[in-house]
Amino acid sequence: MKDITFEQIRAFLAVAEYGNFSLAAEKVYRTQAALSIQVARLEETIGMCMFNRTTKQVELTVAGRIMQRYLLQVEQNLQQAE
């Protein structure tokens, strides 16, 4: 199994927060393509789809909501460690 990277965590959390890849990319100063790649790699690593995608927005799946809770904790722990 591949490791989850910090970049994947940040990409996932941004898309989950903003509900849109383009807006999330703008907010975290990345390209939409870069965010899409990171989220796709995370989904591949986990083996589950984290988002239901439409042309206008994305919505977390059940697995995505569970992952969001865990990754928000990870993000908070990293901020405290810094």
Side-chain angles (χ1 to χ4, degrees):
M1 184 168 148
K2 296 178 185 178
D3 292 331
I4 296 173
T5 67
F6 295 124
E7 191 65 27
Q8 291 169 349
I9 291 170
R10 288 183 191 109
F12 170 83
L13 289 175
V15 175
E17 179 178 354
Y18 295 105
N20 178 293
F21 278 88
S22 296
L23 180 58
E26 181 181 315
K27 297 293 185 180
V28 297
Y29 307 104
R30 300 283 185 268
T31 65
Q32 183 272 328
L35 245 60
S36 293
I37 289 167
Q38 293 303 322
V39 169
R41 287 181 180 160
L42 174 67
E43 290 176 323
E44 182 181 316
T45 298
I46 300 299
M48 300 183 114
C49 185
M50 299 288 114
F51 295 100
N52 291 318
R53 294 159 171 87
T54 67
T55 56
K56 301 258 187 224
Q57 67 180 25
V58 293
E59 181 179 272
L60 288 166
T61 62
V62 172
R65 286 193 299 273
I66 293 168
M67 180 62 72
Q68 182 184 34
R69 284 196 307 257
Y70 284 112
L71 294 183
L72 283 170
Q73 284 182 296
V74 168
E75 183 182 53
Q76 289 171 352
N77 290 339
L78 287 171
Q79 289 173 356
Q80 289 175 354
E82 289 176 348

XYZ file of all heavy atoms in Angstrom:
658
model
N 0.843 -1.189 0.000
C 0.000 0.000 0.000
C 0.884 1.246 0.000
O 1.866 1.326 0.712
C -0.900 -0.001 1.233
C -1.863 1.131 1.266
S -3.080 0.840 2.566
C -3.407 2.489 3.061
N 0.513 2.199 -0.793
C 1.240 3.469 -0.857
C 0.882 4.328 0.349
O -0.172 4.182 0.950
C 0.871 4.221 -2.129
C 1.266 3.519 -3.397
C 0.817 4.334 -4.579
C 1.092 3.594 -5.866
N 0.625 4.327 -7.032
N 1.767 5.260 0.667
C 1.528 6.182 1.766
C 0.680 7.367 1.302
O 0.753 7.785 0.151
C 2.846 6.722 2.313
C 3.675 5.650 3.005
O 3.086 4.693 3.544
O 4.904 5.763 3.003
N -0.094 7.911 2.227
C -0.833 9.142 1.970
C 0.129 10.293 2.232
O 0.801 10.324 3.257
C -2.056 9.250 2.891
C -3.040 8.113 2.595
C -2.738 10.608 2.731
C -4.200 8.031 3.573
N 0.190 11.241 1.302
C 1.113 12.366 1.450
C 0.387 13.579 2.049
O -0.840 13.680 2.006
C 1.711 12.772 0.092
O 0.669 13.320 -0.737
C 2.373 11.591 -0.614
N 1.187 14.501 2.591
C 0.609 15.731 3.127
C -0.070 16.530 2.014
O -1.098 17.171 2.241
C 1.678 16.579 3.807
C 2.259 15.921 5.027
C 3.614 15.716 5.127
C 1.454 15.490 6.067
C 4.164 15.106 6.251
C 1.975 14.881 7.191
C 3.345 14.687 7.281
N 0.503 16.494 0.826
C -0.095 17.217 -0.306
C -1.472 16.644 -0.633
O -2.410 17.388 -0.947
C 0.834 17.145 -1.525
C 0.444 18.067 -2.648
C 0.551 19.545 -2.296
O 1.353 19.921 -1.431
O -0.192 20.338 -2.911
N -1.626 15.330 -0.551
C -2.930 14.708 -0.785
C -3.930 15.113 0.289
O -5.096 15.395 -0.008
C -2.790 13.183 -0.833
C -2.044 12.684 -2.043
C -1.683 11.221 -1.934
O -1.810 10.598 -0.884
N -1.186 10.664 -3.042
N -3.465 15.167 1.523
C -4.335 15.576 2.632
C -4.816 17.008 2.414
O -6.010 17.295 2.513
C -3.603 15.443 3.982
C -3.370 13.966 4.309
C -4.389 16.149 5.100
C -2.453 13.725 5.496
N -3.887 17.895 2.100
C -4.251 19.300 1.885
C -5.215 19.459 0.708
O -6.170 20.224 0.769
C -2.994 20.137 1.660
C -2.187 20.317 2.921
C -0.978 21.231 2.687
N -0.095 21.166 3.819
C 1.097 20.576 3.822
N 1.572 20.018 2.734
N 1.836 20.562 4.907
N -4.949 18.729 -0.372
C -5.821 18.801 -1.547
C -7.221 18.300 -1.209
O -8.224 18.954 -1.536
C -5.222 17.984 -2.697
N -7.295 17.159 -0.560
C -8.585 16.583 -0.191
C -9.383 17.545 0.694
O -10.562 17.804 0.444
C -8.391 15.245 0.534
C -9.654 14.716 1.140
C -10.562 14.005 0.378
C -9.951 14.949 2.473
C -11.751 13.535 0.939
C -11.117 14.491 3.044
C -12.026 13.776 2.276
N -8.727 18.071 1.734
C -9.430 18.956 2.659
C -9.889 20.247 1.982
O -10.973 20.757 2.290
C -8.554 19.258 3.877
C -8.346 18.079 4.836
C -7.362 18.449 5.930
C -9.672 17.603 5.422
N -9.106 20.762 1.065
C -9.506 21.974 0.343
C -10.738 21.713 -0.518
O -11.691 22.494 -0.506
C -8.351 22.487 -0.513
N -10.732 20.623 -1.243
C -11.882 20.302 -2.105
C -13.110 20.021 -1.245
O -14.215 20.471 -1.555
C -11.560 19.119 -3.042
C -12.795 18.709 -3.833
C -10.416 19.482 -3.983
N -12.913 19.326 -0.130
C -14.038 19.042 0.771
C -14.623 20.337 1.334
O -15.843 20.486 1.440
C -13.579 18.129 1.906
N -13.756 21.280 1.659
C -14.215 22.552 2.234
C -14.959 23.406 1.224
O -16.012 23.971 1.516
C -13.034 23.341 2.786
C -13.435 24.675 3.378
C -12.285 25.464 3.983
O -11.157 24.936 4.059
O -12.518 26.619 4.370
N -14.413 23.513 0.006
C -14.979 24.438 -0.978
C -15.974 23.789 -1.933
O -16.691 24.491 -2.640
C -13.855 25.130 -1.753
C -13.036 26.011 -0.843
C -11.771 25.629 -0.428
C -13.537 27.216 -0.372
C -11.019 26.427 0.427
C -12.810 28.015 0.487
C -11.551 27.607 0.884
O -10.828 28.395 1.746
N -16.016 22.455 -1.988
C -16.997 21.773 -2.813
C -16.806 21.958 -4.308
O -17.726 21.739 -5.084
N -15.587 22.346 -4.699
C -15.311 22.635 -6.106
C -13.793 22.599 -6.302
O -13.062 23.266 -5.564
C -15.879 24.026 -6.420
C -15.622 24.487 -7.811
O -14.486 24.734 -8.193
N -16.695 24.623 -8.579
N -13.342 21.837 -7.279
C -11.901 21.710 -7.501
C -11.251 23.026 -7.901
O -10.175 23.364 -7.418
C -11.617 20.643 -8.566
C -11.627 19.242 -8.033
C -12.807 18.523 -7.967
C -10.464 18.636 -7.605
C -12.825 17.221 -7.480
C -10.465 17.338 -7.114
C -11.654 16.628 -7.047
N -11.896 23.778 -8.776
C -11.310 25.033 -9.250
C -11.188 26.052 -8.125
O -10.140 26.693 -7.961
C -12.135 25.623 -10.392
O -12.106 24.759 -11.504
N -12.234 26.210 -7.347
C -12.208 27.161 -6.237
C -11.191 26.720 -5.181
O -10.424 27.539 -4.663
C -13.594 27.301 -5.621
C -13.715 28.274 -4.449
C -13.278 29.683 -4.848
C -15.155 28.280 -3.936
N -11.179 25.440 -4.869
C -10.225 24.921 -3.888
C -8.795 25.169 -4.353
O -7.938 25.579 -3.567
C -10.461 23.432 -3.656
N -8.536 24.936 -5.639
C -7.192 25.155 -6.188
C -6.784 26.615 -6.044
O -5.657 26.922 -5.644
C -7.161 24.732 -7.650
N -7.709 27.509 -6.332
C -7.433 28.939 -6.206
C -7.091 29.296 -4.757
O -6.146 30.040 -4.501
C -8.658 29.721 -6.676
C -8.512 31.216 -6.627
C -9.792 31.905 -7.080
O -10.375 31.499 -8.105
O -10.209 32.849 -6.382
N -7.842 28.751 -3.815
C -7.651 29.078 -2.399
C -6.330 28.553 -1.835
O -5.785 29.135 -0.911
C -8.812 28.536 -1.562
C -10.148 29.152 -1.904
C -10.204 30.617 -1.529
C -11.582 31.180 -1.770
N -11.679 32.594 -1.414
N -5.834 27.436 -2.391
C -4.579 26.859 -1.870
C -3.406 27.101 -2.829
O -2.349 26.489 -2.684
C -4.719 25.362 -1.520
C -5.730 25.150 -0.413
C -5.067 24.537 -2.743
N -3.619 27.979 -3.794
C -2.549 28.387 -4.723
C -1.948 27.208 -5.491
O -0.734 27.082 -5.623
C -1.448 29.160 -3.975
C -2.001 30.310 -3.187
C -2.128 30.231 -1.812
C -2.442 31.471 -3.831
C -2.662 31.289 -1.077
C -2.976 32.529 -3.102
C -3.083 32.428 -1.731
O -3.626 33.468 -1.008
N -2.819 26.362 -6.010
C -2.424 25.245 -6.868
C -3.299 25.291 -8.119
O -4.320 25.966 -8.144
C -2.642 23.895 -6.167
C -1.879 23.679 -4.891
C -0.427 23.343 -5.198
N 0.322 23.003 -4.011
C 1.016 23.858 -3.271
N 1.031 25.131 -3.578
N 1.677 23.461 -2.226
N -2.911 24.532 -9.116
C -3.770 24.428 -10.293
C -4.866 23.407 -10.020
O -4.720 22.530 -9.158
C -2.978 23.990 -11.541
O -2.487 22.662 -11.336
C -1.832 24.951 -11.839
N -5.938 23.536 -10.764
C -7.029 22.572 -10.632
C -6.533 21.172 -10.977
O -6.883 20.209 -10.307
C -8.197 22.998 -11.537
C -9.425 22.125 -11.443
C -9.388 20.947 -12.394
O -8.834 21.021 -13.483
N -9.965 19.848 -11.981
N -5.694 21.079 -11.986
C -5.158 19.775 -12.390
C -4.321 19.146 -11.275
O -4.427 17.941 -11.012
C -4.321 19.923 -13.657
N -3.511 19.965 -10.604
C -2.672 19.450 -9.514
C -3.534 18.910 -8.375
O -3.243 17.833 -7.823
C -1.737 20.538 -9.007
N -4.594 19.631 -8.029
C -5.481 19.161 -6.970
C -6.192 17.874 -7.388
O -6.303 16.939 -6.589
C -6.522 20.241 -6.633
C -6.432 20.817 -5.236
C -5.116 21.472 -4.966
C -7.572 21.740 -4.953
N -6.646 17.835 -8.620
C -7.330 16.634 -9.120
C -6.424 15.412 -9.050
O -6.859 14.325 -8.653
C -7.795 16.840 -10.561
O -8.791 17.812 -10.622
N -5.173 15.595 -9.419
C -4.212 14.486 -9.390
C -4.003 14.009 -7.954
O -4.002 12.803 -7.689
C -2.878 14.906 -10.036
C -3.060 15.037 -11.543
C -1.756 13.916 -9.700
C -1.908 15.735 -12.250
N -3.831 14.950 -7.027
C -3.600 14.564 -5.634
C -4.805 13.824 -5.044
O -4.648 12.825 -4.343
C -3.245 15.787 -4.791
C -1.920 16.414 -5.144
C -0.758 15.437 -5.041
O -0.699 14.597 -4.155
N 0.175 15.563 -5.967
N -6.002 14.303 -5.337
C -7.207 13.632 -4.834
C -7.345 12.254 -5.478
O -7.666 11.273 -4.799
C -8.467 14.496 -5.069
C -9.744 13.701 -4.790
C -8.417 15.739 -4.196
N -7.068 12.151 -6.763
C -7.139 10.853 -7.440
C -6.138 9.869 -6.847
O -6.458 8.690 -6.650
C -6.892 11.029 -8.934
N -4.945 10.345 -6.532
C -3.935 9.474 -5.911
C -4.368 9.028 -4.517
O -4.155 7.882 -4.125
C -2.590 10.182 -5.857
C -1.937 10.278 -7.209
C -0.596 10.961 -7.137
N 0.001 11.025 -8.468
C 0.955 11.859 -8.810
N 1.468 12.699 -7.915
N 1.432 11.863 -10.030
N -4.986 9.938 -3.769
C -5.504 9.578 -2.446
C -6.580 8.506 -2.582
O -6.559 7.498 -1.872
C -6.064 10.812 -1.742
C -6.775 10.545 -0.412
C -5.794 10.048 0.641
C -7.491 11.787 0.072
N -7.507 8.707 -3.509
C -8.579 7.730 -3.719
C -8.012 6.378 -4.151
O -8.487 5.331 -3.713
C -9.575 8.249 -4.753
C -10.409 9.410 -4.238
C -11.334 10.009 -5.270
O -10.945 10.089 -6.466
O -12.446 10.411 -4.890
N -6.977 6.407 -4.977
C -6.330 5.168 -5.405
C -5.672 4.465 -4.215
O -5.793 3.247 -4.063
C -5.279 5.484 -6.466
C -4.575 4.263 -7.023
C -3.524 4.646 -8.052
O -3.804 5.504 -8.902
O -2.422 4.084 -7.982
N -5.005 5.224 -3.379
C -4.349 4.657 -2.207
C -5.362 4.046 -1.251
O -5.166 2.937 -0.745
C -3.526 5.743 -1.464
O -2.516 6.222 -2.353
C -2.876 5.199 -0.210
N -6.444 4.765 -1.008
C -7.489 4.305 -0.092
C -8.312 3.177 -0.724
O -8.812 2.307 -0.035
C -8.427 5.484 0.295
C -7.640 6.590 0.985
C -9.580 5.022 1.176
C -6.963 6.204 2.256
N -8.472 3.243 -2.030
C -9.280 2.239 -2.717
C -10.764 2.557 -2.688
O -11.595 1.665 -2.869
N -11.088 3.828 -2.455
C -12.487 4.250 -2.395
C -12.633 5.636 -3.008
O -11.712 6.445 -2.927
C -12.992 4.308 -0.954
C -12.926 3.006 -0.223
S -13.633 3.182 1.418
C -15.037 2.125 1.212
N -13.792 5.906 -3.530
C -14.117 7.222 -4.059
C -14.496 8.130 -2.892
O -15.337 7.768 -2.063
C -15.279 7.097 -5.047
S -15.685 8.634 -5.864
N -13.866 9.278 -2.812
C -14.109 10.210 -1.711
C -15.156 11.267 -2.055
O -15.717 11.891 -1.164
C -12.810 10.932 -1.319
C -11.701 10.026 -0.843
S -12.027 9.349 0.798
C -12.200 7.632 0.383
N -15.394 11.476 -3.357
C -16.314 12.520 -3.796
C -17.264 11.990 -4.863
O -16.880 11.198 -5.716
C -15.547 13.697 -4.414
C -14.663 14.432 -3.448
C -13.308 14.192 -3.407
C -15.203 15.372 -2.584
C -12.483 14.869 -2.526
C -14.389 16.061 -1.691
C -13.033 15.808 -1.663
N -18.521 12.468 -4.816
C -19.441 12.339 -5.938
C -19.232 13.606 -6.755
O -19.360 14.713 -6.234
C -20.896 12.263 -5.455
C -21.181 10.971 -4.739
O -20.756 9.909 -5.161
N -21.893 11.068 -3.622
N -18.889 13.442 -8.024
C -18.551 14.594 -8.866
C -19.656 14.889 -9.869
O -20.202 13.985 -10.480
C -17.256 14.303 -9.624
C -16.034 14.183 -8.728
C -14.926 13.397 -9.452
N -13.657 13.414 -8.774
C -13.303 12.556 -7.828
N -14.137 11.618 -7.429
N -12.101 12.633 -7.278
N -19.960 16.181 -10.008
C -20.817 16.647 -11.094
C -20.021 17.720 -11.832
O -18.920 18.062 -11.436
C -22.144 17.258 -10.562
O -21.859 18.468 -9.855
C -22.892 16.285 -9.667
N -20.592 18.265 -12.876
C -19.865 19.288 -13.635
C -19.715 20.586 -12.852
O -18.804 21.359 -13.114
C -20.579 19.584 -14.974
O -21.931 19.962 -14.695
C -20.538 18.384 -15.884
N -20.576 20.841 -11.891
C -20.556 22.108 -11.159
C -19.926 22.009 -9.763
O -19.381 22.976 -9.259
C -21.974 22.654 -11.018
C -22.654 22.901 -12.341
C -22.635 24.353 -12.671
C -23.466 24.568 -13.918
N -22.864 25.435 -14.852
N -20.070 20.863 -9.116
C -19.586 20.751 -7.746
C -19.249 19.305 -7.411
O -19.521 18.399 -8.182
C -20.624 21.283 -6.752
C -21.895 20.452 -6.682
C -22.875 21.024 -5.684
O -22.854 22.209 -5.381
N -23.751 20.199 -5.160
N -18.645 19.160 -6.249
C -18.362 17.824 -5.735
C -18.959 17.733 -4.337
O -19.104 18.728 -3.635
C -16.845 17.522 -5.688
C -16.270 17.431 -7.070
C -16.103 18.533 -4.855
N -19.332 16.523 -3.972
C -19.929 16.280 -2.670
C -19.244 15.062 -2.067
O -18.957 14.085 -2.774
C -21.427 16.013 -2.865
C -22.197 15.777 -1.607
C -23.663 15.542 -1.916
O -24.409 16.534 -1.989
O -24.055 14.362 -2.080
N -18.959 15.119 -0.793
C -18.315 13.995 -0.127
C -19.209 12.761 -0.124
O -20.418 12.866 0.098
C -17.971 14.359 1.320
C -16.826 15.331 1.515
C -16.825 15.857 2.944
C -15.503 14.676 1.179
N -18.608 11.615 -0.357
C -19.297 10.346 -0.176
C -19.296 10.040 1.322
O -18.682 10.759 2.117
C -18.575 9.213 -0.922
O -17.262 9.073 -0.365
C -18.498 9.474 -2.419
N -19.931 8.961 1.716
C -19.892 8.539 3.121
C -18.441 8.304 3.534
O -17.988 8.774 4.583
C -20.751 7.279 3.352
C -20.543 6.736 4.755
C -22.225 7.585 3.099
N -17.686 7.594 2.696
C -16.264 7.355 2.981
C -15.500 8.671 3.056
O -14.611 8.843 3.896
C -15.654 6.445 1.918
N -15.850 9.618 2.205
C -15.205 10.926 2.199
C -15.457 11.699 3.481
O -14.560 12.363 4.002
N -16.679 11.604 4.002
C -16.987 12.298 5.261
C -16.204 11.692 6.421
O -15.710 12.415 7.293
C -18.494 12.262 5.540
C -19.277 13.215 4.640
C -20.702 13.425 5.122
N -21.504 12.205 5.152
C -22.188 11.719 4.128
N -22.172 12.337 2.972
N -22.892 10.614 4.249
N -16.077 10.386 6.429
C -15.286 9.721 7.471
C -13.824 10.129 7.343
O -13.175 10.492 8.335
C -15.457 8.189 7.385
C -16.899 7.805 7.746
C -14.442 7.475 8.295
C -17.265 6.376 7.414
N -13.308 10.103 6.120
C -11.915 10.484 5.886
C -11.686 11.938 6.285
O -10.651 12.270 6.875
C -11.555 10.268 4.417
C -10.123 10.637 4.081
S -8.878 9.663 4.962
C -9.044 8.107 4.128
N -12.636 12.803 6.002
C -12.503 14.216 6.352
C -12.305 14.384 7.859
O -11.453 15.156 8.297
C -13.724 15.004 5.879
C -13.618 16.500 6.163
C -14.872 17.253 5.787
O -15.991 16.726 5.907
N -14.715 18.476 5.321
N -13.095 13.659 8.653
C -12.950 13.762 10.114
C -11.535 13.381 10.550
O -10.919 14.067 11.365
C -13.975 12.874 10.819
C -15.375 13.448 10.807
C -16.266 12.754 11.822
N -16.274 11.310 11.680
C -17.245 10.598 11.124
N -18.310 11.199 10.649
N -17.173 9.289 11.058
N -11.026 12.274 10.020
C -9.682 11.835 10.390
C -8.610 12.819 9.927
O -7.690 13.134 10.663
C -9.382 10.445 9.816
C -10.051 9.333 10.574
C -11.072 8.592 9.989
C -9.658 9.009 11.867
C -11.688 7.560 10.680
C -10.273 7.984 12.560
C -11.291 7.260 11.963
O -11.890 6.251 12.660
N -8.746 13.282 8.699
C -7.709 14.161 8.155
C -7.737 15.551 8.777
O -6.691 16.201 8.870
C -7.816 14.230 6.632
C -7.507 12.913 5.910
C -7.567 13.098 4.403
C -6.170 12.334 6.333
N -8.888 16.007 9.230
C -8.925 17.274 9.971
C -8.152 17.146 11.277
O -7.444 18.063 11.688
C -10.371 17.709 10.231
C -11.105 18.311 9.041
C -12.597 18.485 9.350
C -10.482 19.628 8.618
N -8.258 15.980 11.919
C -7.480 15.725 13.134
C -5.987 15.717 12.823
O -5.189 16.281 13.569
C -7.877 14.394 13.759
C -9.193 14.418 14.484
C -9.476 13.077 15.111
O -9.640 12.072 14.418
N -9.515 13.052 16.437
N -5.609 15.072 11.728
C -4.208 15.026 11.317
C -3.704 16.437 11.076
O -2.622 16.818 11.544
C -4.026 14.152 10.047
C -2.635 14.328 9.457
C -4.308 12.689 10.364
N -4.481 17.234 10.357
C -4.089 18.613 10.063
C -3.913 19.422 11.348
O -2.937 20.162 11.500
C -5.126 19.275 9.155
C -4.742 20.686 8.753
C -5.799 21.342 7.888
O -6.979 21.373 8.306
O -5.437 21.823 6.812
N -4.827 19.268 12.283
C -4.716 19.977 13.559
C -3.463 19.541 14.317
O -2.757 20.373 14.901
C -5.961 19.735 14.414
C -7.191 20.431 13.885
C -8.458 20.005 14.617
O -8.450 19.087 15.430
N -9.566 20.669 14.304
N -3.176 18.252 14.312
C -1.973 17.752 14.986
C -0.718 18.306 14.344
O 0.242 18.660 15.047
C -1.944 16.226 14.981
C -2.997 15.617 15.876
O -3.517 16.261 16.789
N -3.329 14.365 15.626
N -0.688 18.414 13.019
C 0.465 18.965 12.334
C 0.656 20.440 12.676
O 1.783 20.896 12.888
C 0.317 18.789 10.815
C 0.492 17.376 10.290
C 0.090 17.309 8.822
C 1.908 16.888 10.492
N -0.444 21.174 12.742
C -0.362 22.594 13.106
C 0.163 22.761 14.520
O 0.987 23.646 14.791
C -1.716 23.272 12.938
C -2.129 23.454 11.500
C -3.549 23.967 11.342
O -4.279 24.127 12.311
N -3.952 24.215 10.103
N -0.272 21.924 15.427
C 0.211 21.986 16.809
C 1.689 21.622 16.886
O 2.434 22.222 17.655
C -0.600 21.059 17.703
C -2.004 21.559 17.952
C -2.838 20.566 18.749
O -2.418 19.450 19.021
N -4.043 20.980 19.121
N 2.106 20.661 16.075
C 3.509 20.236 16.080
C 4.427 21.346 15.564
O 5.560 21.490 16.033
C 3.687 18.981 15.223
N 3.932 22.123 14.612
C 4.738 23.223 14.075
C 4.975 24.272 15.136
O 5.956 24.905 15.247
C 4.048 23.869 12.863
C 4.062 22.999 11.640
C 3.301 23.608 10.463
O 2.569 24.602 10.650
O 3.441 23.103 9.363
